[in-house]
Amino acid sequence: MNDDSSAAALAGSLRRELHRFSGGEKLPSNRTLVERFGVSPVTVSRALAALAAEGLVVTRPGAGTYRASERAALPQTVDTSWQQVALTAQDPEDPPRVVDASGVLATLAPPPPGVIAFSGGYLPPGLQPERALGAALARAARRPGVWERPPVEGLAELRGWFGRDAGVGPAQVLITAGGQAALTTALRALAPPGAAVLVESPTYPGALAVARAAGLRPVPVPVDADGVRPDLLADAFAASGARVFFCQPLFQNPTGAVLAAGRRRQVLDIAHAAGGFVIEDDFARRLGHGGPLPPPLVADDPYGTVVHMASLSKPTAPSLRVGALIARGAVMERLRAIQVVDSFFVPRPLQEATLDLVGAPAWPRHLRAVAAGLRERRDAMLAALASELPGLAPDPAPAGGYHLWLRLPDGTDEVALAAAALRAGVAVAPGRPYFPAESPAPHLRVSFADTTGPEEITEGVRRLASALAQVIGANSRG
C-alpha cells in the first residue's frame, strides 16, 4: 500500500483482519500499521476513527486501540406499516402537509461515476475558495471565545456586512444557516398553515417543497423574459387572498430572467396594496458573469414590504451554510423568534470564519474568478447547443447564474429524455418539478457550473443531443 493510499482502503484491510483478534484484544500500534502498510500516520488515524465509528474498535488515549467486545445482535425487523396511518391521519379541516424532497435531492445527489453533471447547483471544487475557507476556519478556531454562544441574531459585524448591499443596518439583519433555512423561517413567519403563497412559475423546487411541507398552497404567477408579470401578480393576490409572494428578481431559477427595471416598483406597489410581503431570494447576487447588477429589491422598498434572503453557499462552497434574512418592522422580531425556537443560533465558529473570508483581500479576487469561470462555462454550453441542438439555445443568454432553461419541442417527454440522457452519461433536470401547477410546455434545466470546463460541457451536450434524438425517434416510431 502506497503512502497516498486512502483511509477507506486501509479501513477495509483492517476490517477484514479483525477476526484474528478477540474482543478486548489490543491491535498493533499506529507506528506498526504505518510501517506495515506504508501509509502516513494521518491515514492510520482516520482509518481507525472510521472503524471506531462503526463500533468495531475502541481507542483508548495513551493505551492503544482494541477490538470492541461482541455487539448484541441487531433487533429483528419490525412491522412499521402502522406509521403510514399515523403520519397521514389528520383533521379533515387541517391543510394537507406534503413533505416531498425529490426536487431538492435532484440537485444534491452526486451523479454516478462517468456521468457529466448538468444537474448540480453548486460550484465545482476548482472554483470554490477551498484554501481561503480552510485558512479562515483555522484562524476562527483559534480566536478567544469562538466556542461561546453568539448573539442569537448573529455577529454584529457579519450582520453589518450582509446589510450593506441592502442599505440597512445590523439591526435589520438576522444570520441564518443558509438560504434554505432562511426560506423556511420566512414562510413560517409570514403565512399561516392553509394559506396561499404566490410563487413565480416556473420557480425553484425547494420553495415549493418548503411551502407544501408547511401546509401552504403555492399559487403560480407566470414569468416572461422580464421576470414576473405585474398584471398577473395583481390578479393572483386578488383571487387567492395571499399575503406572500416569493420571487427571485435576479437571474431567476430556472429561467435566468432579471426583473425589468420598470416592473420593480410595480411589484412592490401591488404587494403593498394587497397588505402582503415579498420574499426576495437573492441567491445569485454573487454569481454574475461580469457587468453591473441592479440593487436588491429591498434597497428600493419604501414600505417595508420586502423580506430579503441572501446566502453564501452558492458563490463559495455547499457546506458554508451561512445566509441572512433582512427585514424592517415587527416582522423581524417574528423571524428572529421562529429561528430561535427552531435552532437557537448559527454556530459562532462558522460565523467567525465567514467574516474572516469575506473581509480578506482574496475575496474580491475569488468573486472575479467565479464570474470568469461561470462566463466561460456558459459560453461553452451555448456554443455546444448552437452546434448540436440549435433550436434549444435560449435567447437572450443569461448574464448571471449557473444554468440554462431549455424549451423542448412540443410533445417531448421530458422525463423520458432525462432518463435517456442519464443512460447516455449526462444528468439533466426535467422541467416539470419547477412548475407549481400544470406545465405549459416541456423543458429541461441544464447547469454548467459543476463541470470541469468547456471540454466536458461540449461532450455533455453531445450526449444530450444523442438522447434527444433517441427519444424523438422512439416517439415517431410509436
Side-chain angles (χ1 to χ4, degrees), residues 213-465:
L216 304 176
R217 296 183 292 110
V219 176
V221 185
V223 302
D224 58 22
D226 291 326
V228 68
R229 288 181 50 182
D231 57 332
L232 298 180
L233 177 63
D235 291 345
F237 267 118
S240 67
R243 294 294 179 266
V244 178
F245 170 48
F246 170 80
C247 63
Q248 297 174 321
L250 185 64
F251 310 134
Q252 197 254 5
N253 181 10
T255 66
V258 176
L259 185 63
R263 295 185 179 183
R264 290 167 61 91
R265 183 56 183 263
Q266 287 181 273
V267 168
L268 298 177
D269 288 346
I270 290 167
H272 181 61
F277 290 93
V278 174
I279 299 177
E280 177 189 19
D281 182 4
D282 203 26
F283 77 102
R285 173 64 47 183
R286 295 169 181 85
L287 297 177
H289 300 164
L293 300 177
L297 201 59
V298 68
D300 295 334
D301 173 22
Y303 309 116
T305 292
V306 176
V307 174
H308 176 89
M309 292 168 40
S311 173
L312 285 174
S313 302
K314 296 294 186 185
T316 56
S319 286
L320 188 65
R321 309 301 303 168
V322 173
L325 282 168
I326 295 175
R328 290 169 290 181
V331 68
M332 173 50 76
E333 180 54 35
R334 181 175 292 189
L335 293 167
R336 174 182 177 273
I338 287 179
Q339 175 164 288
V340 169
V341 169
D342 281 350
S343 57
F344 290 177
F345 48 79
V346 176
R348 185 169 192 142
L350 201 55
Q351 293 191 56
E352 295 273 9
T354 301
L355 193 58
D356 190 294
L357 175 72
V358 300
W363 178 245
R365 293 197 299 270
H366 166 68
L367 294 182
R368 288 194 294 270
V370 169
L374 291 177
R375 184 171 60 248
E376 178 189 46
R377 287 163 171 79
R378 177 204 64 185
D379 292 346
M381 181 166 279
L382 290 171
L385 287 170
S387 173
E388 300 286 344
L389 295 165
L392 269 60
D395 184 28
Y402 53 86
H403 55 266
L404 301 179
W405 184 237
L406 308 183
R407 168 66 156 85
L408 299 173
D410 288 339
T412 304
D413 185 335
E414 60 186 36
V415 175
L417 175 55
L422 190 60
R423 291 193 297 271
V426 59
V428 295
R432 180 64 190 86
Y434 293 81
F435 289 93
E438 290 78 13
S439 171
H443 291 82
L444 283 185
R445 196 197 79 155
V446 290
S447 170
F448 47 79
D450 194 10
T451 61
T452 58
E455 184 175 340
E456 185 176 58
I457 288 172
T458 300
E459 173 60 20
V461 172
R462 187 195 64 77
R463 296 179 186 182
L464 178 59

Side-chain angles (χ1 to χ4, degrees), residues 101-124:
S102 58
V104 179
L105 290 173
T107 62
L108 295 178
V115 173
I116 297 173
F118 283 177
S119 56
Y122 294 101
L123 297 178

Side-chain angles (χ1 to χ4, degrees), residues 96-105 180 183-184 187 197 199 203-216 218 246 433-436:
R97 297 180 64 218
V98 179
V99 184
D100 181 4
S102 58
V104 179
L105 290 173
Q180 193 72 4
L183 175 57
T184 300
L187 284 176
V197 57
V199 298
T203 191
Y204 165 52
L208 300 177
V210 169
R212 288 166 177 152
L216 304 176
F246 170 80
Y434 293 81
F435 289 93

